[in-house]
Amino acid sequence: QAFQKNLAQAERIVVVGNGGIALELVYEIQGCEVIWAIKDKAIGNTFFDAGAAEFLIPKLTAEKQETPIECKRTKYTVEGSEEEERPVAASDKLGSALGPDWHEGLHLKGTKEFSHKVHIERLCEVKNIHLQQEFLQLQRPSLSFPKEEENVEPEEVLWPVYVELTNGKIYGCDFIVSATGVVPNVKPFLDGNDFAIGEDGGLKVDKHMHTSLPDIYAAGDICTASWEPSPVWHQMRLWTQARQLGWYAGKCMAADARGEAVDLDFSFELFAHVTKFFNYKVVVLGKYNAQGLGLDHELLLRCTKGQEYVKVVMQNGRMMGAVLIGETDLEETFENLILNQMDLSAYGEDLLNPDIDIEDYFD
């Protein structure tokens, strides 16, 4: 709501970061110039390779006319609030939480009349942030919003805040959104407690979600899974995984209280995340970016411009991961193929042949 309020008076903002939140923001914001600073060559590096990024880019510059796709997921609502139309979020009402639904009920529009205006500054990070007075003392020019195929011009307008990038460019803006990743916030729990900490800074948990201290469990972004993971699962600080970990931690607590045994939940067998970017359904499965596979893997690709992008990661004839963008209807089949680790060498590139109904092979 604070973001919506600030955006309503903004002409330009800078978004820093290249994960899920940054992707959602740059697409949803209307009527405001967006300078998007990313440290990678391609957008959405957390989820996508350069090919998938190229597939998505046209949606950034297109006018938004399409109907938003439905996200089929559990909704948490206050009784009676479902029926009310709320174009502007009121502070006394609870809105959506969890994942791509966060902006439902919010009116994410700046002061301008256009729909989309995003400029990407690649391979750079934020070097300095200057308030207006500090910027004036620098006596350096700031840049106007770049137009296509033209050199970026210095501008005369004064902005509340300025971002100096490591590539030497300075842009003025109304405010900055930092969306640079998740760090486990363990500090509140460490005082006087001797928790074992994982390499990534989270509280270490075993396969029953116990921390190193008796009767204390941890779940979600704060914890580090320190059990031996399945070959096609890895921890990522995402809303879907936080929810799975929380649900499983509750199950483990109840089992411990009753003295019952509990097995590691099935959702930790295969990494799976379903979300929505640029109004496309996005499904990532297993080692979708060949995480930890080194050079010993191959990729199969299928792409129909503006419709779908399918990438499969293969190792020794077995499917290890996949990225599915668009309405591919392949997620269930691929999920089973990754879990079953069946040798698919005989199918070769026919695995992604659009003229072959792959489901028929494996029913």
Side-chain angles (χ1 to χ4, degrees), residues 181-191 195 197 200-203 218-224 235 237:
V182 184
V183 178
N185 183 18
V186 296
K187 203 163 176 281
F189 306 98
L190 297 185
D191 199 19
F195 283 108
I197 302 290
D200 60 6
L203 303 179
D221 292 347
I222 199 172
C223 77
T224 298
Q235 185 178 3
R237 290 184 165 83

Side-chain angles (χ1 to χ4, degrees), residues 231-266:
V232 286
W233 185 85
H234 55 275
Q235 185 178 3
M236 253 181 111
R237 290 184 165 83
L238 298 165
W239 65 275
T240 42
Q241 218 169 74
R243 189 174 65 182
Q244 287 161 349
L245 288 162
W247 180 87
Y248 178 57
K251 192 176 168 184
C252 291
M253 289 178 204
D256 284 349
R258 295 188 189 128
E260 295 169 2
V262 65
D263 289 327
L264 193 61
D265 188 68
F266 177 73

Side-chain angles (χ1 to χ4, degrees), residues 210-217 253 256:
H210 300 127
T211 63
S212 56
L213 299 187
D215 298 325
I216 298 182
Y217 301 74
M253 289 178 204
D256 284 349

Side-chain angles (χ1 to χ4, degrees), residues 112-125:
K112 305 279 195 178
E113 282 311 304
F114 54 76
S115 168
H116 256 128
K117 225 176 197 184
V118 180
H119 170 71
I120 307 170
E121 286 287 346
R122 301 165 198 266
L123 295 169
C124 66
E125 294 181 64

Side-chain angles (χ1 to χ4, degrees), residues 289-308:
N289 259 347
Q291 291 94 331
L293 301 183
L295 297 173
D296 179 26
H297 68 275
E298 57 178 350
L299 304 177
L300 298 178
L301 292 173
R302 179 172 105 199
C303 179
T304 309
K305 202 174 175 184
Q307 198 177 326
E308 63 167 19

